Amino acid sequence: MRILLIEDDAALARSIAALLRAGGNAVDHVATGEDALSVVAGEPYALVILDVGLPGIDGFTVLETLRRRGERVPVLMLTARDALDDRVRGLDLGADDYLRKPFEPEELEARVRALGRRRGGDPLPVLSVGTLTINRSTGDADIAGRALDLRRRERAVLEALATRAGRVVPRELLIGEVFGFDEPVGDNAIEVHVTRLRGKLAPDGPGIRTVRGVGYMLDAG
């Protein structure tokens, strides 16, 4: 998934971003509510992780503005506050989930996965396409029991294709889900990952077709 992290604590932001990237996600980070409102308008995020206690425009105001603009992206709010009124306020404004600081990394990862599945309309943690099985909880993938050794971005590309199996996935959409806006993207970056995936899926896994000038499609099997 492509995730926007809105957190003004630089050390915490680095830790969260590293954790999520290790799980195969693309993560963009901004530190203020003003920057968040500007960035969300132009990017196809699958999830927003939003700190309540931001300087200037606080997290509640950011959330309220996003929902008023019609943004339906799932929002996970982070807060150091323990007051029930604050949690109720956030949920009433349109938050999808709440996580209180300090939190364990495993809980953050689990909540991110759950919100990602909810957005995709698929509540199941295991995704199957023909002989291919992807466990979205662990990041493991196999072909008929044969484990696939996938790099982080290969896994991200494969999951993006698998969730849309049988449909053409535009190259630009893949780039948006795999790379953050501060990460360099070579002209053939997606092609390199797709080529490697084809080799790893062969000979008994689903094929990846190239639709010239558009993108790629994973055979539905």
Side-chain angles (χ1 to χ4, degrees):
M1 293 187 295
R2 187 166 189 179
I3 298 172
L4 176 63
L5 171 62
I6 310 164
E7 170 61 64
D8 65 309
D9 184 322
L12 178 60
R14 284 194 298 270
S15 297
I16 292 174
L19 178 71
L20 296 176
R21 285 169 181 153
N25 302 288
V27 182
D28 297 336
H29 169 244
V30 295
T32 68
E34 292 87 346
D35 287 343
L37 292 174
S38 175
V39 168
V40 170
E43 299 291 341
Y45 290 107
L47 175 66
V48 169
I49 300 177
L50 173 60
D51 180 36
V52 170
L54 296 172
I57 300 177
D58 68 12
F60 291 129
T61 304
V62 171
L63 175 62
E64 183 177 22
T65 304
L66 290 177
R67 295 308 188 225
R68 191 170 61 244
R69 290 190 334 199
E71 298 281 359
R72 300 178 62 185
V73 58
V75 175
L76 169 62
M77 299 200 79
L78 304 180
T79 181
R81 307 176 186 180
D82 194 31
L84 175 61
D85 288 348
D86 283 337
R87 297 198 299 273
V88 170
R89 180 184 178 192
L91 293 169
D92 283 345
L93 287 173
D96 295 88
D97 201 357
Y98 239 101
L99 187 57
R100 183 173 178 267
K101 301 176 182 177
F103 48 81
E104 294 297 326
E106 295 83 1
E107 183 176 7
L108 173 63
E109 290 178 305
R111 289 176 184 267
V112 166
R113 289 193 298 266
L115 289 171
R117 294 196 299 269
R118 185 186 305 173
R119 178 181 183 270
D122 183 358
L124 300 177
V126 177
L127 179 64
S128 296
V129 180
T131 57
L132 170 67
T133 300
I134 302 173
N135 187 320
R136 286 184 275 191
S137 295
T138 64
D140 296 331
D142 67 78
I143 300 291
R146 171 174 62 88
L148 297 178
D149 182 13
L150 300 176
R151 300 180 182 183
R152 174 174 65 90
R153 285 181 177 144
E154 290 171 357
R155 186 168 69 246
V157 171
L158 182 59
E159 184 169 339
L161 293 171
T163 55
R164 304 168 178 87
R167 293 179 285 161
V168 178
V169 182
R171 181 177 179 276
E172 290 74 18
L173 189 151
L174 287 173
I175 290 174
E177 292 199 3
V178 175
F179 295 93
F181 57 40
D182 58 346
E183 297 179 282
V185 183
D187 292 339
N188 65 338
I190 293 296
E191 288 78 2
V192 168
H193 296 310
V194 168
T195 298
R196 289 174 178 163
L197 283 171
R198 284 175 174 147
K200 294 180 179 183
L201 294 174
D204 46 352
I208 302 176
R209 303 184 192 180
T210 298
V211 181
R212 294 192 179 279
V214 183
Y216 300 92
M217 180 175 69
L218 185 72
D219 292 334

